[in-house]
Amino acid sequence: MTAYFVDPSVGNDADDGLDNTGLTLATTTWTASSLTLTQAGAFAAYTYAAGDMIAITGGTGATTGLYQIASKIDANSITLVATTTVPGAQNGATLSGSDLATGDIASSSGPFLTIEQGDTILSAYDTLWMKASATYAYAGTFMVNWGTADNVLEGYTTTPGDGGRVLFDGTVNANTYGFYSLSRSTLVNVIINGTAYGYYPAVAGGCLRNCVVKGFSATGWQGTSDKCIVEDCEFSTSSGAGIRSGWGSVVRRNYFHDLGTGSVASSYRTTFVDNIFDTCTIGIDRVTQEQVCIVGCTFYNCSTAGIQGSNSQFLIEDNIFANCGYGLDNDGTSDYVTQGANSIRGNHWFSNTTDIGSSSTGSWLTPYGENPSTTPGNTSGDPLFTDAPNGDFSLGAGSPAAGIAFEFVSTEVSSGSTTYQDRGAVQQESGGGGLHVNMPLTGGMT
Amino acid sequence: MSTLYDPAVRDYGYQRIDNYPIVVPNGTTVRETNFSQEAPGTEGIIEGDDLTFEFCNMTNLVIDPAWTLVSTNTLQIRTDGDDVYRVYPDGHEELISGVPS
């Protein structure tokens, strides 16, 4: 599980990629008491910047690995951070005076220039840290065609782990695919702009986390394969579909807005939790497969429908449907009371043209022949979003959707009183729910 | 019929707008806005002079050479059911919706 680095500004594919400074030490002294590395003249041309790392790659008794640099003392010396929080880095204070011997110490030659070189060098379970020092743009049908299995590719701005996003701009070379992955891989802290497909995982198990995918022609995440996770991401600015979910995928805490379709639930057993679908033609479309779970989502201003589809064994609970055409539209011809096992209950409805209905000849009646929007447990009225036009779907004070969800936060044993979560994707800081979902609405290079 | 551009509106795609062109005031810089159309080579969607588009989506639009485009998607795509084809300037098409070989 080695950490590697890419820097599109100063990297070199001839480097070993093991840190982001490339100091290439050779005859260094380690002083444990002051956490100082000393080598005559080694740092004369080195300009310290926060987030600089050094990988000690050899030395008699050396604890090789990645360390964070705390400061540059002078042309001959640098200090290491005593206790670092950088993922994968070791603490300088854990080195003892005898760990590094003078005269035989070696360190990294610096970061790679390209992602492709990372794919060549990395092994399974390694991490590739991608610095936001410039826009990433590569020619070809695939902007990135990643083949190594089980890697994490994560962006950062200054210090690895700082959550900064890097921009992969498909408009520079008119790429068809942004990230294409032939293996299980996780992409974190990336903006993918202007391709036909943003991320196209070709095998099961891909993951997209804290990313922004926008300006795509067809689909932001083309999850044709199974068991993927898409979380804390934003999909926008397209007439296409934000994601196409594969079998058994989990889609949670994402923000879908200004889209033709938020998500095409093209396969069964997909779970949607705590997502916002804002100004989509359809929030979740083609729910034509069984066992789709949609819980705690907010559907707002979805002109055709919040959810459109037809099948059985759905779980649709604790969602808010507001200002939509249909909240829930059965666009098929079957009455799913006869298919059975749907659980559509406890949702919040406000200002939809039709809360639950059918644009065809089907219906969503309960096994008792009732309309699921009017059975006990539903709520209605203005949910009092804090600032919906600007994407803030937190619930204001007095919201009728607050503190009333089926899901509960806790039960006080002594009194027996139970605190329930809020309906919709964003929990109030206080009041009914007490939980809060951090939506990824800020950050990045653009 | 036409639609006056409003910076607060981010989606002028074909699924949402009935009345084209979108009339953009001369000299405007438009950011992160969708103008995508259903059919490749669609004309007459945007009207205005000295326009700049940054991080916009102009999928299937005919691009006015007078526009300044920054990080803006100008791909041409044809959809046939679940099949998606990329349409190149010479007219040939490539199926892109399946897993590429």
Side-chain angles (χ1 to χ4, degrees), chain A residues 142 169 171 174-177 180 193-197 200 214-217 237-239 258 260 279-281 286 446, chain B residues 10-11 13-16 32-34 36 55 57 59 71-73 75 77 82 84 86 88 96-100:
Chain A
F142 308 95
D169 193 348
T171 68
N175 307 106
T176 300
Y177 306 90
Y180 181 77
N193 176 66
T195 54
Y197 294 97
Y200 200 127
K214 61 183 178 179
F216 47 88
S217 301
T237 325
S238 176
S239 295
D258 298 296
T279 314
C280 302
T281 303
R286 281 193 274 174
T446 60
Chain B
R10 305 273 295 278
D11 190 355
Y14 71 95
Q15 292 161 316
R16 196 161 293 274
E32 299 204 29
T33 301
N34 178 39
S36 297
F55 288 94
N57 192 345
T59 296
S71 295
T72 288
N73 185 349
L75 299 183
I77 299 292
D82 280 342
V84 179
R86 180 166 176 184
Y88 288 88
I96 61 174
S97 50
V99 174

Side-chain angles (χ1 to χ4, degrees), chain A residues 362-378:
Chain A
S363 76
W364 292 106
L365 299 178
T366 72
Y368 305 104
E370 301 163 311
N371 182 330
S373 67
T374 58
T375 52
N378 287 278

Side-chain angles (χ1 to χ4, degrees), chain A residues 255-317:
Chain A
Y255 182 35
F256 300 87
H257 67 98
D258 298 296
L259 294 168
T261 303
S263 173
V264 177
S266 59
S267 192
Y268 57 101
R269 297 177 186 168
T270 298
T271 298
F272 296 88
V273 180
D274 293 343
N275 301 284
I276 296 171
F277 298 88
D278 171 16
T279 314
C280 302
T281 303
I282 300 174
I284 301 177
D285 189 13
R286 281 193 274 174
V287 187
T288 55
Q289 300 288 342
E290 299 173 346
Q291 300 160 358
V292 174
C293 172
I294 305 169
V295 174
C297 295
T298 295
F299 298 88
Y300 176 79
N301 197 25
C302 296
S303 55
T304 297
I307 301 171
Q308 185 178 70
S310 58
N311 211 317
S312 61
Q313 301 175 58
F314 292 164
L315 177 69
I316 302 177
E317 291 183 355

Side-chain angles (χ1 to χ4, degrees), chain A residues 83-97:
Chain A
T83 302
T84 182
T85 58
V86 174
Q90 303 185 68
N91 297 325
T94 62
L95 287 167
S96 69

